[in-house]
Amino acid sequence: MISVVKRLSIIDVERCTGCQLCMFACSRRSGVGGMGQSRILVRSAGGIERGFVVVVCRACLTPPCLKVCPVDAISQRPGGGVIVDPSTCIGCHRCEEACPFGAVMWDQAMNKPMICFHCGYCSQFCPFKVIALEEVTTRS
């Protein structure tokens, strides 16, 4: 069966100015001000001349974070990426350590992972179109 799903993609990181509006939007989506609940990270690449790095879940088809979860709190999202069940998670940090992109953010207060679930809300606030929600065709 063929289906179309959406996932967040980094379109052109060279356009990123480091404004972090995507981070504010992501955090606000969960009803929290600031950037503490953001599932996306924008950081300096190492100086003004080198630009910025956008860190977000890459929607792996075989996510390493899912494989290492000892309590099955992470499940596969159709089209790539994962969904975290915080009520099952024991806060062991294995998913955070397993992600090769550093895209597992951590909620220190709850001691739970925060992983982008590709809603695309952040992309609506990026004034430079660095990130976008794209459609992906999958077969099951």
Side-chain angles (χ1 to χ4, degrees):
M1 183 170 128
I2 297 174
S3 60
V4 177
V5 296
K6 293 183 178 182
R7 71 176 178 203
L8 193 65
S9 291
I10 300 169
I11 304 300
D12 186 356
V13 74
E14 297 297 320
R15 295 185 206 160
C16 183
T17 63
C19 69
Q20 300 178 326
L21 287 175
C22 56
M23 293 176 62
F24 280 108
C26 182
S27 193
R28 187 173 178 166
R29 186 185 183 285
S30 58
V32 178
M35 296 185 282
Q37 293 293 308
S38 179
R39 290 166 167 80
I40 185 170
L41 173 68
V42 176
R43 63 173 174 78
S44 170
I48 294 173
E49 296 174 1
R50 298 182 78 186
F52 297 91
V53 176
V54 179
V55 181
V56 68
C57 175
R58 303 287 177 93
C60 301
L61 294 178
T62 54
C65 58
L66 184 151
K67 291 180 181 175
V68 299
C69 181
V71 294
D72 296 327
I74 299 175
S75 57
Q76 181 80 46
R77 179 182 171 274
V82 297
I83 298 170
V84 177
D85 177 2
S87 66
T88 305
C89 175
I90 58 173
C92 68
H93 289 261
R94 290 184 189 171
C95 55
E96 183 181 31
E97 296 165 0
C99 180
F101 306 106
V104 176
M105 311 305 163
W106 205 261
D107 183 332
Q108 299 295 335
M110 300 295 292
N111 193 30
K112 306 288 181 188
M114 299 185 305
I115 304 173
C116 174
F117 44 85
H118 303 270
C119 70
Y121 189 70
C122 58
S123 66
Q124 298 173 34
F125 292 88
C126 179
F128 304 102
K129 308 298 180 202
V130 174
I131 51 179
L133 202 59
E134 67 176 8
E135 291 185 344
V136 179
T137 302
T138 63
R139 294 176 188 238
S140 56

